[in-house]
Amino acid sequence: MSLSWLKKYNLVIFEKIDSTNSEAIRLAKAGVSGDYIIWSESQTAGRGRAGRSWSSESGNLYFSLLLDRGITLEKQPQLSFVVAVALYDTIDFLAKKDKIPLPLGLKWPNDLLVNNKKLAGMLLESLTLYGKNYLIIGLGVNVKLTPKDIDKPVTSLVEEGVYILDNSTLLDTFMNYFQKYFAIWRNKGFMRIRESWLAKAYNLNEMVVIDDGKNKISGEFKDIDANGNIRIKLADGRVQSLSTGEVFFGKKLDG
Ligand code: BTN
């Protein structure tokens, strides 16, 4: 472990909490300054994207980053891509150390998959208080347990044959990669992160369906734009950018 990141972050550890994202929001509302990592062994009310719950038994990794760096609301979504590439490298590094090269891929906007099965997800939330922009990024990684209550393919590191002795190793490795990619984002800009993200993305140039909750749009997944929106080439040749939605691979719309 290098733990050098600990000099820059306040680390708060819980055995059990409702949700590390909710705790981050409470800390921000209490007016804290500086960056925090909130890590809990289990959560009683873990939250996922689109109002879903996130199964949070002890065994998997649950933590949130609370960033107090004055990142403008417009730029905040870019950070989910910074986190995604850092998480990809973390799992890739630890799996290769175990001599198990996993076929990892990033799914827009911010899931990490192994063979099309979800291994990790993240939830971005933002808060403007006392004139400050806080950014909260919560990460859930299936380390030892594969959640059963999910209607899509999921997996865990143990299921894929990767045994990480301690979740702190995973957190430490992630933080080192996060620091690296955060510096690239700050010094060289989002386009460098975009490049790394695209190199790790699943199903580029293939057919996808995007469900934004109201409409389903089908097209070829071209890339992401300078704001992190997904760009889809429609049947009539037009390219459309979408800022939210759930991506489904290899499906066609009925009718
Ligand atoms: C998703 O739906 O893919 C996002 C899942 C995010 C889960 C993590 S676990 C740690 C943090 N605390 C929460 O309540 N949610 C996030």
Side-chain angles (χ1 to χ4, degrees):
M1 285 202 210
S2 77
L3 295 179
S4 60
W5 52 271
L6 256 182
K7 286 185 215 134
K8 297 191 187 140
Y9 289 83
N10 301 290
L11 177 62
V12 187
I13 305 176
F14 294 91
E15 215 172 282
K16 189 189 270 191
I17 197 164
D18 52 351
S19 148
T20 55
N21 265 40
S22 301
E23 177 63 13
I25 292 172
R26 287 191 288 268
L27 284 172
K29 285 187 175 162
V32 295
S33 296
D35 298 329
Y36 279 73
I37 294 162
I38 301 113
W39 172 24
S40 187
E41 201 180 304
S42 64
Q43 300 181 117
T44 53
R47 297 188 278 115
R49 287 179 64 220
R52 287 186 284 256
S53 64
W54 185 260
S55 164
S56 303
E57 299 291 312
S58 167
N60 290 341
L61 178 65
Y62 316 104
F63 70 98
S64 301
L65 291 165
L66 169 63
L67 301 178
D68 169 25
R69 302 199 186 193
I71 303 168
T72 59
L73 295 182
E74 179 196 311
K75 288 202 167 158
Q76 287 190 353
Q78 298 180 0
L79 264 296
S80 73
F81 296 89
V82 173
V83 168
V85 288
L87 185 64
Y88 180 108
D89 279 10
T90 301
I91 305 296
D92 190 47
F93 172 77
L94 293 173
K96 282 185 180 145
K97 225 168 103 182
D98 255 10
K99 305 219 170 357
I100 309 218
L102 293 180
L104 296 170
L106 293 172
K107 178 184 159 194
W108 185 89
N110 42 33
D111 286 351
L112 178 61
L113 309 181
V114 181
N115 266 333
N116 276 323
K117 290 179 280 180
K118 183 157 168 167
L119 181 72
M122 78 183 74
L123 178 65
L124 219 79
E125 296 184 295
S126 69
L127 211 62
T128 304
L129 285 168
Y130 316 107
K132 280 211 253 189
N133 290 329
Y134 290 98
L135 174 62
I136 294 151
I137 305 171
L139 271 162
V141 184
N142 300 335
V143 181
K144 297 190 180 81
L145 311 170
T146 303
K148 299 276 176 262
D149 51 346
I150 299 203
D151 59 352
K152 55 176 111 165
V154 278
T155 192
S156 67
L157 286 172
V158 164
E159 194 169 323
E160 299 298 329
V162 179
Y163 293 85
I164 292 167
L165 282 183
D166 199 317
N167 284 354
S168 61
T169 308
L170 190 47
L171 181 63
D172 175 43
T173 311
F174 170 80
M175 285 309 296
N176 286 309
Y177 279 116
F178 177 70
Q179 298 240 93
K180 170 186 154 183
Y181 282 110
F182 188 88
I184 294 175
W185 175 77
R186 201 187 37 211
N187 301 330
K188 309 231 158 84
F190 178 64
M191 289 321 250
R192 288 289 287 272
I193 297 296
R194 174 184 175 272
E195 243 171 65
S196 302
W197 190 92
L198 287 171
K200 300 171 198 300
Y202 254 170
N203 298 52
L204 219 49
N205 299 316
E206 289 180 19
M207 289 304 288
V208 294
V209 172
I210 303 190
D211 185 349
D212 70 0
K214 285 192 203 123
N215 301 303
K216 289 193 173 88
I217 298 161
S218 159
E220 199 181 308
F221 170 24
K222 293 317 292 174
D223 58 10
I224 56 173
D225 69 15
N227 297 312
N229 299 320
I230 190 166
R231 294 192 339 124
I232 302 294
K233 189 172 173 192
L234 307 175
D236 63 8
R238 280 182 306 127
V239 175
Q240 186 167 345
S241 289
L242 294 154
S243 62
T244 53
E246 172 109 26
V247 175
F248 297 91
F249 298 132
K251 283 194 183 172
K252 287 226 161 70
L253 285 175
D254 303 328

